[in-house]
Amino acid sequence: TVRRKMSLAISFAVVSISCISLVAASQRKTHAIVLTSLSAFSGKLFVASVYILCFLYVLEAYPTAMRSSGLAFCMTFGRLGAFVIPIVSELVVHIHDSSIPVFVVLGSVAGVASIICVFLPDRNSAQPTVEDELDSSEFVRDRLESKTFSDTGTGVSRKGSGEKAEIGRAHV
């Protein structure tokens, strides 16, 4: 099977080829509609693939204790890019009277991302390492010790840091 790293690199490469072929198809007079449609649909398919594979790779790349924060950080910048790119592309189209520069830049960035994906570290298994588990257990223990639980409303009471937490129903 193809690992996620190579799937990501292949998907970025197809997106790059699709963007560049959109530029080439717009310059042709014959079969332009077919070539443009084929490039656009394959580009959209592989952009969706990149989106899914990026999140899967990020989830594996971060240690267990930092996974949710790392994913949130990446999602924030992804949403920021999704917000900014339509504004920038409309500005470029307005200035150059053509969408060609937008697709050339997008195709180039996707091509560079494809090359970078080849050099990403690859974990041989999805199992966490011992260091990840130790970091995670220390992180969770520190978080639990810093919080105080009470019997009011949560149903969880905690007597001390060395004792077992009791779980029960809050008395009404």
Side-chain angles (χ1 to χ4, degrees):
T1 63
V2 179
R3 298 194 183 273
R4 285 196 182 107
K5 179 176 82 166
M6 290 312 288
S7 297
L8 196 59
I10 291 167
S11 295
F12 269 125
V14 172
V15 168
S16 177
I17 291 168
S18 295
C19 288
I20 301 301
S21 64
L22 272 170
V23 172
S26 69
Q27 302 297 317
R28 296 182 61 126
K29 301 298 180 200
T30 60
H31 306 294
I33 294 173
V34 174
L35 292 174
T36 303
S37 298
L38 183 65
S39 296
F41 289 132
S42 64
K44 285 179 77 169
L45 173 72
F46 282 95
V47 161
S49 171
V50 163
Y51 186 77
I52 293 167
L53 288 170
C54 277
F55 284 118
L56 289 175
Y57 190 82
V58 165
L59 287 175
E60 283 185 356
Y62 282 109
T64 306
M66 301 291 294
R67 196 164 285 165
S68 61
S69 298
L71 183 62
F73 183 77
C74 292
M75 286 180 73
T76 300
F77 279 97
R79 296 292 177 179
L80 183 65
F83 173 74
V84 170
I85 194 66
I87 297 168
V88 171
S89 67
E90 285 296 323
L91 183 65
V92 169
V93 168
H94 179 69
I95 291 172
H96 292 284
D97 291 329
S98 174
S99 63
I100 291 175
V102 174
F103 288 108
V104 168
V105 169
L106 289 175
S108 301
V109 169
V112 169
S114 176
I115 293 168
I116 289 172
C117 284
V118 173
F119 297 109
L120 287 173
D122 190 20
R123 290 178 70 171
N124 293 332
S125 65
Q127 300 297 323
T129 62
V130 174
E131 293 85 16
D132 289 344
E133 289 298 321
L134 289 174
D135 288 344
S136 177
S137 62
E138 289 173 11
F139 178 77
V140 170
R141 188 185 67 234
D142 291 343
R143 294 287 293 178
L144 285 175
E145 287 177 355
S146 68
K147 294 193 184 280
T148 58
F149 295 102
S150 67
D151 213 12
T152 58
T154 61
V156 176
S157 65
R158 188 157 184 231
K159 292 181 179 177
S161 62
E163 295 178 348
K164 187 177 177 182
E166 297 178 276
I167 299 175
R169 292 190 167 203
H171 299 287
V172 181

